[in-house]
Amino acid sequence: MVDSDIYDILRSVKTIALIGASNKEDRPSYKVMKFLLEQGYDVIPVNPGMLGQTLLGQQCYASLKDIPVTVDMVDVFRQSDVALEIAQEAIAINAKVLWLQIGVINEEAKDLAENSGLRVVMDRCPKKEIEAHGLPW
């Protein structure tokens, strides 16, 4: 994926489901969620252990299928071995983008998502990409 594709993705998405969200302020998922909210994205935390709670003012959900609004991008903070299952869920909810965070590498998930029409970013961080491309958009 080239920088112009990433730039286009980050400009086009509005609602992001963040899989593996954490309420621990020192965790990367917390920092990225906070940053994305500050940039004006709607970020929905997904973590079954936090069901019924809020994180940074946002309602937490147990899974993608439980989210009552359209999700543009699924941002994955989980182990690579569950990325295929998450890709299947992202396809099922008609997400447009599957974003696998730094260190989350799963070629099978990437291929499945791309073959289903999703754009895929793998082993990169949207926060770092936004910072690298500069704001405002």
Side-chain angles (χ1 to χ4, degrees), residues 93-112:
I93 66 161
N94 297 312
K96 296 176 184 83
V97 177
L98 176 66
W99 190 298
L100 304 177
Q101 279 288 335
I102 294 171
V104 183
I105 300 168
N106 186 311
E107 292 295 334
E108 191 176 3
K110 176 184 178 288
D111 292 345
L112 176 67

Side-chain angles (χ1 to χ4, degrees), residues 66-85:
D66 298 329
I67 299 172
V69 298
T70 300
V71 171
D72 299 317
M73 183 171 100
V74 177
D75 186 7
V76 182
F77 278 92
R78 296 283 313 277
Q79 297 295 326
S80 297
D81 62 345
V82 297
L84 179 60
E85 179 183 336

